[in-house]
Short mmCIF file of all heavy atoms in Angstrom, two decimals:
data_model
loop_
_atom_site.label_atom_id
_atom_site.label_comp_id
_atom_site.label_asym_id
_atom_site.label_seq_id
_atom_site.Cartn_x
_atom_site.Cartn_y
_atom_site.Cartn_z
N GLN A 916 6.09 -8.61 3.23
CA GLN A 916 6.76 -9.09 4.44
C GLN A 916 5.80 -9.19 5.63
O GLN A 916 6.24 -9.30 6.77
CB GLN A 916 7.91 -8.15 4.79
CG GLN A 916 9.09 -8.20 3.84
CD GLN A 916 9.98 -9.39 4.11
OE1 GLN A 916 10.31 -9.67 5.25
NE2 GLN A 916 10.37 -10.10 3.06
N ASP A 917 4.51 -9.12 5.36
CA ASP A 917 3.49 -9.23 6.42
C ASP A 917 3.69 -8.20 7.54
O ASP A 917 3.73 -8.54 8.71
CB ASP A 917 3.49 -10.64 7.02
CG ASP A 917 2.37 -10.84 8.03
OD1 ASP A 917 1.29 -10.26 7.84
OD2 ASP A 917 2.60 -11.57 9.02
N PRO A 918 3.83 -6.89 7.18
CA PRO A 918 4.01 -5.89 8.24
C PRO A 918 2.67 -5.46 8.83
O PRO A 918 1.62 -5.53 8.19
CB PRO A 918 4.65 -4.72 7.47
CG PRO A 918 4.04 -4.82 6.10
CD PRO A 918 3.84 -6.30 5.83
N ASP A 919 2.71 -5.00 10.07
CA ASP A 919 1.56 -4.34 10.69
C ASP A 919 1.71 -2.82 10.58
O ASP A 919 0.73 -2.11 10.37
CB ASP A 919 1.44 -4.73 12.17
CG ASP A 919 1.19 -6.21 12.35
OD1 ASP A 919 0.12 -6.68 11.91
OD2 ASP A 919 2.07 -6.91 12.90
N VAL A 920 2.94 -2.37 10.76
CA VAL A 920 3.23 -0.93 10.72
C VAL A 920 4.40 -0.70 9.77
O VAL A 920 5.40 -1.43 9.82
CB VAL A 920 3.59 -0.38 12.12
CG1 VAL A 920 3.87 1.12 12.05
CG2 VAL A 920 2.46 -0.67 13.11
N ILE A 921 4.25 0.30 8.89
CA ILE A 921 5.31 0.64 7.94
C ILE A 921 5.67 2.11 8.12
O ILE A 921 4.78 2.96 8.22
CB ILE A 921 4.87 0.43 6.48
CG1 ILE A 921 4.38 -1.00 6.27
CG2 ILE A 921 6.01 0.75 5.51
CD1 ILE A 921 3.69 -1.22 4.93
N MET A 922 6.96 2.38 8.20
CA MET A 922 7.41 3.78 8.23
C MET A 922 8.21 4.05 6.97
O MET A 922 9.21 3.40 6.71
CB MET A 922 8.27 4.06 9.46
CG MET A 922 8.43 5.55 9.74
SD MET A 922 9.89 6.28 8.99
CE MET A 922 11.09 6.01 10.27
N VAL A 923 7.72 5.00 6.15
CA VAL A 923 8.41 5.41 4.93
C VAL A 923 9.06 6.76 5.18
O VAL A 923 8.36 7.73 5.52
CB VAL A 923 7.42 5.51 3.74
CG1 VAL A 923 8.17 5.83 2.46
CG2 VAL A 923 6.63 4.22 3.60
N GLY A 924 10.38 6.82 5.06
CA GLY A 924 11.10 8.03 5.43
C GLY A 924 10.55 9.30 4.81
O GLY A 924 10.46 10.33 5.46
N GLU A 925 10.15 9.24 3.53
CA GLU A 925 9.64 10.44 2.86
C GLU A 925 8.85 10.05 1.63
O GLU A 925 9.22 9.13 0.90
CB GLU A 925 10.81 11.35 2.45
CG GLU A 925 10.37 12.66 1.84
CD GLU A 925 11.54 13.53 1.39
OE1 GLU A 925 12.69 13.22 1.79
OE2 GLU A 925 11.32 14.48 0.63
N ILE A 926 7.72 10.74 1.42
CA ILE A 926 6.96 10.57 0.18
C ILE A 926 7.46 11.63 -0.79
O ILE A 926 7.19 12.82 -0.63
CB ILE A 926 5.45 10.72 0.43
CG1 ILE A 926 4.95 9.55 1.29
CG2 ILE A 926 4.68 10.78 -0.88
CD1 ILE A 926 3.48 9.63 1.65
N ARG A 927 8.21 11.18 -1.80
CA ARG A 927 8.85 12.11 -2.73
C ARG A 927 8.15 12.18 -4.09
O ARG A 927 8.36 13.12 -4.84
CB ARG A 927 10.31 11.71 -2.94
CG ARG A 927 11.16 11.81 -1.70
CD ARG A 927 12.57 11.32 -1.96
NE ARG A 927 13.43 11.45 -0.79
CZ ARG A 927 14.67 10.97 -0.70
NH1 ARG A 927 15.19 10.33 -1.73
NH2 ARG A 927 15.38 11.13 0.41
N ASP A 928 7.35 11.16 -4.40
CA ASP A 928 6.76 11.13 -5.74
C ASP A 928 5.40 10.44 -5.69
O ASP A 928 4.99 9.88 -4.67
CB ASP A 928 7.68 10.42 -6.72
CG ASP A 928 8.14 9.06 -6.20
OD1 ASP A 928 7.29 8.31 -5.69
OD2 ASP A 928 9.35 8.75 -6.28
N LYS A 929 4.70 10.51 -6.83
CA LYS A 929 3.36 9.94 -6.92
C LYS A 929 3.38 8.44 -6.69
O LYS A 929 2.49 7.87 -6.03
CB LYS A 929 2.76 10.26 -8.30
CG LYS A 929 1.37 9.68 -8.50
CD LYS A 929 0.86 9.95 -9.91
CE LYS A 929 -0.51 9.29 -10.12
NZ LYS A 929 -1.02 9.49 -11.49
N ASP A 930 4.39 7.76 -7.20
CA ASP A 930 4.49 6.30 -7.08
C ASP A 930 4.50 5.88 -5.61
O ASP A 930 3.74 5.02 -5.18
CB ASP A 930 5.75 5.81 -7.79
CG ASP A 930 5.65 4.34 -8.18
OD1 ASP A 930 4.55 3.78 -8.09
OD2 ASP A 930 6.68 3.77 -8.59
N THR A 931 5.38 6.51 -4.84
CA THR A 931 5.48 6.20 -3.41
C THR A 931 4.18 6.53 -2.70
O THR A 931 3.70 5.77 -1.84
CB THR A 931 6.64 6.97 -2.77
OG1 THR A 931 7.84 6.75 -3.51
CG2 THR A 931 6.86 6.53 -1.33
N ALA A 932 3.60 7.70 -3.02
CA ALA A 932 2.36 8.13 -2.37
C ALA A 932 1.23 7.13 -2.64
O ALA A 932 0.47 6.76 -1.73
CB ALA A 932 1.97 9.51 -2.87
N GLU A 933 1.08 6.67 -3.88
CA GLU A 933 0.00 5.73 -4.22
C GLU A 933 0.16 4.41 -3.47
O GLU A 933 -0.82 3.87 -2.93
CB GLU A 933 0.00 5.47 -5.73
CG GLU A 933 -0.63 6.58 -6.54
CD GLU A 933 -0.72 6.22 -8.02
OE1 GLU A 933 0.06 5.34 -8.46
OE2 GLU A 933 -1.55 6.81 -8.73
N ILE A 934 1.39 3.90 -3.43
CA ILE A 934 1.61 2.62 -2.74
C ILE A 934 1.33 2.76 -1.25
O ILE A 934 0.71 1.89 -0.63
CB ILE A 934 3.05 2.11 -2.98
CG1 ILE A 934 3.31 1.94 -4.48
CG2 ILE A 934 3.27 0.79 -2.27
CD1 ILE A 934 4.77 1.69 -4.80
N ALA A 935 1.79 3.89 -0.65
CA ALA A 935 1.57 4.11 0.78
C ALA A 935 0.08 4.20 1.09
O ALA A 935 -0.40 3.63 2.09
CB ALA A 935 2.29 5.38 1.22
N ILE A 936 -0.66 4.91 0.26
CA ILE A 936 -2.09 5.07 0.50
C ILE A 936 -2.82 3.73 0.35
O ILE A 936 -3.68 3.37 1.17
CB ILE A 936 -2.67 6.14 -0.44
CG1 ILE A 936 -2.25 7.53 0.06
CG2 ILE A 936 -4.19 6.04 -0.53
CD1 ILE A 936 -2.68 8.68 -0.80
N ARG A 937 -2.47 2.99 -0.69
CA ARG A 937 -3.13 1.70 -0.87
C ARG A 937 -2.75 0.73 0.26
O ARG A 937 -3.57 -0.09 0.67
CB ARG A 937 -2.77 1.11 -2.24
CG ARG A 937 -3.30 1.95 -3.39
CD ARG A 937 -3.26 1.25 -4.72
NE ARG A 937 -3.74 2.12 -5.79
CZ ARG A 937 -5.01 2.38 -6.04
NH1 ARG A 937 -5.95 1.80 -5.31
NH2 ARG A 937 -5.36 3.19 -7.03
N ALA A 938 -1.52 0.85 0.78
CA ALA A 938 -1.13 0.01 1.92
C ALA A 938 -1.98 0.33 3.14
O ALA A 938 -2.42 -0.57 3.88
CB ALA A 938 0.35 0.22 2.24
N SER A 939 -2.26 1.62 3.34
CA SER A 939 -3.08 2.02 4.50
C SER A 939 -4.52 1.54 4.35
O SER A 939 -5.18 1.20 5.34
CB SER A 939 -3.05 3.53 4.67
OG SER A 939 -3.79 4.18 3.64
N LEU A 940 -5.00 1.51 3.11
CA LEU A 940 -6.39 1.09 2.87
C LEU A 940 -6.55 -0.42 2.92
O LEU A 940 -7.68 -0.92 2.98
CB LEU A 940 -6.86 1.62 1.51
CG LEU A 940 -6.95 3.15 1.38
CD1 LEU A 940 -7.31 3.54 -0.04
CD2 LEU A 940 -7.98 3.71 2.38
N THR A 941 -5.43 -1.15 2.90
CA THR A 941 -5.50 -2.62 2.96
C THR A 941 -5.08 -3.14 4.33
O THR A 941 -4.67 -4.30 4.46
CB THR A 941 -4.63 -3.25 1.87
OG1 THR A 941 -3.29 -2.75 1.96
CG2 THR A 941 -5.19 -2.95 0.50
N GLY A 942 -5.14 -2.28 5.34
CA GLY A 942 -4.96 -2.76 6.71
C GLY A 942 -3.61 -2.52 7.34
O GLY A 942 -3.24 -3.22 8.29
N HIS A 943 -2.85 -1.53 6.85
CA HIS A 943 -1.56 -1.22 7.46
C HIS A 943 -1.57 0.19 8.02
O HIS A 943 -2.17 1.10 7.44
CB HIS A 943 -0.43 -1.34 6.43
CG HIS A 943 -0.36 -2.67 5.76
ND1 HIS A 943 -1.07 -2.98 4.62
CD2 HIS A 943 0.34 -3.80 6.07
CE1 HIS A 943 -0.82 -4.23 4.26
NE2 HIS A 943 0.03 -4.74 5.12
N LEU A 944 -0.87 0.36 9.13
CA LEU A 944 -0.66 1.70 9.68
C LEU A 944 0.65 2.23 9.08
O LEU A 944 1.70 1.58 9.21
CB LEU A 944 -0.56 1.66 11.20
CG LEU A 944 -0.46 3.02 11.93
CD1 LEU A 944 -1.69 3.88 11.65
CD2 LEU A 944 -0.28 2.81 13.43
N VAL A 945 0.58 3.37 8.41
CA VAL A 945 1.73 3.89 7.67
C VAL A 945 2.12 5.25 8.23
O VAL A 945 1.28 6.13 8.40
CB VAL A 945 1.40 4.03 6.16
CG1 VAL A 945 2.61 4.59 5.41
CG2 VAL A 945 0.97 2.69 5.58
N PHE A 946 3.42 5.42 8.53
CA PHE A 946 3.98 6.71 8.93
C PHE A 946 4.84 7.23 7.78
O PHE A 946 5.57 6.47 7.15
CB PHE A 946 4.89 6.58 10.16
CG PHE A 946 4.20 6.07 11.39
CD1 PHE A 946 4.93 5.43 12.38
CD2 PHE A 946 2.85 6.23 11.58
CE1 PHE A 946 4.32 4.96 13.52
CE2 PHE A 946 2.22 5.76 12.72
CZ PHE A 946 2.95 5.12 13.69
N SER A 947 4.80 8.55 7.54
CA SER A 947 5.70 9.12 6.54
C SER A 947 5.82 10.62 6.73
O SER A 947 5.18 11.19 7.63
CB SER A 947 5.22 8.79 5.12
OG SER A 947 6.25 9.08 4.18
N THR A 948 6.63 11.25 5.87
CA THR A 948 6.84 12.70 5.95
C THR A 948 6.63 13.34 4.59
O THR A 948 6.75 12.69 3.55
CB THR A 948 8.27 13.04 6.44
OG1 THR A 948 9.22 12.67 5.42
CG2 THR A 948 8.62 12.32 7.73
N LEU A 949 6.34 14.64 4.63
CA LEU A 949 6.19 15.46 3.42
C LEU A 949 6.82 16.81 3.69
O LEU A 949 6.93 17.24 4.85
CB LEU A 949 4.71 15.66 3.08
CG LEU A 949 4.00 14.71 2.12
CD1 LEU A 949 2.55 15.13 1.98
CD2 LEU A 949 4.66 14.68 0.76
N HIS A 950 7.20 17.51 2.64
CA HIS A 950 7.71 18.87 2.79
C HIS A 950 6.61 19.86 2.45
O HIS A 950 6.37 20.17 1.29
CB HIS A 950 8.93 19.09 1.87
CG HIS A 950 10.15 18.36 2.30
ND1 HIS A 950 10.96 18.81 3.32
CD2 HIS A 950 10.69 17.19 1.87
CE1 HIS A 950 11.97 17.96 3.49
NE2 HIS A 950 11.82 16.97 2.63
N THR A 951 5.89 20.33 3.46
CA THR A 951 4.89 21.39 3.28
C THR A 951 5.01 22.37 4.43
O THR A 951 5.57 22.05 5.49
CB THR A 951 3.45 20.84 3.24
OG1 THR A 951 3.15 20.20 4.49
CG2 THR A 951 3.27 19.84 2.11
N ASN A 952 4.48 23.59 4.23
CA ASN A 952 4.62 24.63 5.25
C ASN A 952 3.68 24.43 6.44
O ASN A 952 4.00 24.83 7.56
CB ASN A 952 4.38 26.02 4.64
CG ASN A 952 5.54 26.48 3.81
OD1 ASN A 952 6.68 26.09 4.05
ND2 ASN A 952 5.27 27.30 2.81
N ASP A 953 2.51 23.86 6.18
CA ASP A 953 1.57 23.64 7.28
C ASP A 953 0.89 22.30 7.11
O ASP A 953 1.08 21.60 6.10
CB ASP A 953 0.55 24.78 7.37
CG ASP A 953 -0.19 24.99 6.06
OD1 ASP A 953 -0.10 24.11 5.18
OD2 ASP A 953 -0.87 26.02 5.90
N ALA A 954 0.07 21.92 8.09
CA ALA A 954 -0.55 20.59 8.07
C ALA A 954 -1.61 20.45 6.98
O ALA A 954 -1.59 19.47 6.22
CB ALA A 954 -1.13 20.28 9.45
N PRO A 955 -2.56 21.40 6.81
CA PRO A 955 -3.55 21.24 5.74
C PRO A 955 -2.91 21.18 4.35
O PRO A 955 -3.46 20.56 3.43
CB PRO A 955 -4.43 22.49 5.89
CG PRO A 955 -4.28 22.90 7.31
CD PRO A 955 -2.87 22.57 7.66
N GLY A 956 -1.73 21.80 4.19
CA GLY A 956 -1.05 21.78 2.90
C GLY A 956 -0.65 20.40 2.44
O GLY A 956 -0.44 20.17 1.24
N ALA A 957 -0.53 19.43 3.38
CA ALA A 957 -0.17 18.07 3.00
C ALA A 957 -1.27 17.43 2.16
O ALA A 957 -0.99 16.64 1.25
CB ALA A 957 0.08 17.23 4.26
N ILE A 958 -2.52 17.78 2.46
CA ILE A 958 -3.64 17.20 1.71
C ILE A 958 -3.59 17.67 0.25
O ILE A 958 -3.66 16.86 -0.69
CB ILE A 958 -4.98 17.61 2.35
CG1 ILE A 958 -5.03 17.19 3.83
CG2 ILE A 958 -6.14 17.01 1.58
CD1 ILE A 958 -4.95 15.71 4.06
N THR A 959 -3.48 18.99 0.07
CA THR A 959 -3.45 19.52 -1.30
C THR A 959 -2.19 19.10 -2.04
O THR A 959 -2.21 18.94 -3.26
CB THR A 959 -3.58 21.05 -1.29
OG1 THR A 959 -2.60 21.60 -0.40
CG2 THR A 959 -4.96 21.47 -0.81
N ARG A 960 -1.06 18.89 -1.31
CA ARG A 960 0.16 18.43 -1.96
C ARG A 960 -0.04 17.04 -2.57
O ARG A 960 0.38 16.77 -3.70
CB ARG A 960 1.31 18.41 -0.94
CG ARG A 960 2.62 17.81 -1.47
CD ARG A 960 3.20 18.63 -2.61
NE ARG A 960 3.46 20.00 -2.22
CZ ARG A 960 4.52 20.41 -1.54
NH1 ARG A 960 5.46 19.53 -1.21
NH2 ARG A 960 4.67 21.69 -1.23
N LEU A 961 -0.70 16.15 -1.83
CA LEU A 961 -0.94 14.80 -2.34
C LEU A 961 -1.88 14.83 -3.55
O LEU A 961 -1.68 14.11 -4.52
CB LEU A 961 -1.53 13.92 -1.23
CG LEU A 961 -0.57 13.54 -0.10
CD1 LEU A 961 -1.32 12.85 1.03
CD2 LEU A 961 0.55 12.63 -0.62
#
């Protein structure tokens, strides 16, 4: 849909995470959420 910015309500699985990451690497700004206790934990969760 030719977006500049995408907001994904929640990254729940590997499929969503992979698509979101590849979207960011191809020129999109992506917002999303994860369920982790702290900020560094989001990296290891992915």
Side-chain angles (χ1 to χ4, degrees):
Q916 290 280 315
D917 185 34
D919 297 296
V920 180
I921 305 169
M922 196 267 271
V923 184
E925 184 182 346
I926 293 178
R927 296 177 178 173
D928 51 45
K929 179 183 177 182
D930 202 11
T931 308
E933 281 185 339
I934 301 169
I936 285 177
R937 295 194 182 281
S939 71
L940 295 175
T941 54
H943 304 88
L944 186 61
V945 179
F946 299 155
S947 193
T948 69
L949 268 179
H950 289 281
T951 62
N952 285 332
D953 55 13
I958 303 298
T959 52
R960 174 64 58 80
L961 289 172

